[in-house]
Amino acid sequence: MTSSKFALLLFLCLLQFFEGFLTSALMMSSLVKPGIFRHLMCRNNMYPRSSVLRFPVSDEQVFWSEPYPDYCPPEYTSPHIGGQVWADPPLNSEVFKPQWNQLDGQVNRKSFHGSYKLRDGLPLNPIGRTGLSGRGSLGRWGPNHAADPIVTRWKRNEQGALEANPATGKNILQMVAIQRSDNKLWAIPGGMVDPGENVSVTLKREFTEEALNFTDKANMVEQFFREGGVQVYQGYVDDFRNTDNAWMETTALNFHDEDGSQVGQLELLAGDDATNVRWTDVDSGLKLHANHADIVREVVIRLNAHW
Ligand code: RP5
């Protein structure tokens, strides 16, 4: 091979590498960018399952870079997380020596938004103030990692033909949504990633538990998930449980049943901490838990569906 051909080949390889890198970096930052994105669900309300009122935080006061001298959030860590295997031990415990911003044994304390700061020895929410310090009901100080499977199919009429929206002319997408038992909101059937667990395992488990109530069609589900989902988001979740020192982050993948012949055929049955499950039409009126609707929107763009 001549040196000019070799240089061209090298150039093309590098181009491909950086294209992949850029795509995932853009995907990660397109929805939630610290310093631009302002969380909403974890501000100015009563902390879930408690009588603790969050300290007021206006839009202008969210970012840590904005001065807020009177900021004095109450401290709250829910008693029910004490002693749980999925939760960090108390801060003053002898056994708790957290390695922030890194893989701490099996516990992933890294954020998808880069290195988070520490204040008074505790991780600081990368988006900003929430009006509450402590851990709330989240198990981990800092990032609490979840995984969200967005299972989709095209909406069809009784004859099996695709249904398009008359205004946009685009096909209507449907997703599997569950109703959460804690806040009664509809949501992607996601769940927490266990320490050391591969996200692909979490995605399959949570979907099977929450949307199929441990179906006997396990092999088909296994195959459907094995064929691979497409990652549509990785980062902060505007979850109502977030605090100044503990917050949710997720990895969301789309599993699309193009011809509706696989998971699209399964009978849905709510299980675990879901009280309801259904195929939901996806459009701009979609209201979901946290910022799940924004995450689903990424799938809409990917599949060029109606919104
Ligand atoms: C959300 O909460 C995540 O996006 C995920 O859907 C879910 C995980 O928490 P649990 O459902 O396990 O409470 O923030």
Side-chain angles (χ1 to χ4, degrees):
M1 191 187 295
T2 63
S3 59
S4 57
K5 269 191 184 157
F6 178 74
L8 184 68
L9 200 67
L10 190 68
F11 175 74
L12 288 175
C13 287
L14 283 173
L15 199 69
Q16 208 168 24
F17 172 77
F18 282 113
E19 198 188 328
F21 178 76
L22 272 177
T23 313
S24 54
L26 280 174
M27 196 170 277
M28 195 181 92
S29 58
S30 58
L31 291 182
V32 173
K33 228 175 178 177
I36 294 177
F37 175 86
R38 290 179 166 87
H39 45 211
L40 208 63
M41 307 298 168
C42 52
R43 279 196 283 147
N44 305 321
N45 51 24
M46 191 83 90
Y47 194 82
R49 294 185 182 181
S50 82
S51 53
V52 184
L53 197 59
R54 293 177 186 266
F55 198 82
V57 177
S58 69
D59 282 356
E60 292 69 35
Q61 292 159 332
V62 170
F63 302 144
W64 297 110
S65 54
E66 292 301 324
Y68 189 0
D70 297 336
Y71 186 59
C72 184
E75 205 251 304
Y76 177 67
T77 295
S78 166
H80 90 269
I81 62 177
Q84 299 287 351
V85 282
W86 45 263
D88 287 334
L91 275 181
N92 53 10
S93 133
E94 270 302 296
V95 291
F96 191 48
K97 306 269 181 279
Q99 306 292 305
W100 305 122
N101 280 306
Q102 51 185 292
L103 202 56
D104 181 7
Q106 298 275 58
V107 180
N108 182 9
R109 299 195 192 276
K110 287 194 277 188
S111 165
F112 289 123
H113 297 284
S115 211
Y116 48 84
K117 295 197 173 84
L118 301 179
R119 186 172 288 176
D120 301 327
L122 288 177
L124 211 52
N125 187 310
I127 300 304
R129 299 180 179 97
T130 67
L132 194 85
S133 66
R135 234 184 316 169
S137 57
L138 293 176
R140 306 279 172 204
W141 295 99
N144 286 252
H145 288 281
D148 282 294
I150 307 167
V151 173
T152 54
R153 70 177 183 189
W154 295 114
K155 186 174 187 177
R156 289 168 193 272
N157 64 19
E158 281 179 3
Q159 288 71 46
L162 294 175
E163 274 194 41
N165 177 276
T168 62
K170 292 186 175 179
N171 292 335
I172 300 169
L173 197 66
Q174 293 188 314
M175 66 171 281
V176 174
I178 54 115
Q179 190 176 29
R180 296 178 60 92
S181 58
D182 54 5
N183 59 8
K184 306 286 174 265
L185 293 174
W186 288 90
I188 306 168
M192 307 303 298
V193 181
D194 288 340
E197 186 175 56
N198 194 306
V199 164
S200 61
V201 175
T202 320
L203 290 162
K204 199 170 48 198
R205 185 192 58 231
E206 292 298 325
F207 184 77
T208 314
E209 284 180 11
E210 295 190 345
L212 301 171
N213 197 17
F214 304 97
T215 177
D216 55 349
K217 301 278 187 310
N219 281 346
M220 192 255 256
V221 176
E222 178 81 36
Q223 169 76 16
F224 180 66
F225 273 78
R226 198 175 327 119
E227 278 166 14
V230 174
Q231 188 177 302
V232 292
Y233 178 66
Q234 222 171 24
Y236 188 84
V237 184
D238 186 4
D239 193 287
F240 69 149
R241 294 166 290 189
N242 293 347
T243 74
D244 287 359
N245 311 116
W247 61 91
M248 295 291 306
E249 296 197 10
T250 195
T251 301
L253 269 78
N254 175 216
F255 296 88
H256 181 60
D257 189 356
E258 178 63 24
D259 62 4
S261 65
Q262 302 175 69
V263 169
Q265 293 285 323
L266 282 185
E267 194 189 333
L268 303 175
L269 192 61
D272 198 33
D273 46 14
T275 52
N276 238 317
V277 62
R278 68 179 180 204
W279 283 101
T280 301
D281 288 4
V282 171
D283 62 25
S284 55
L286 190 66
K287 298 265 179 296
L288 296 177
H289 162 74
N291 53 339
H292 280 187
D294 294 337
I295 299 175
V296 172
R297 169 95 168 113
E298 298 295 301
V299 177
V300 169
I301 295 168
R302 172 180 173 256
L303 297 173
N304 193 24
H306 165 69
W307 181 249

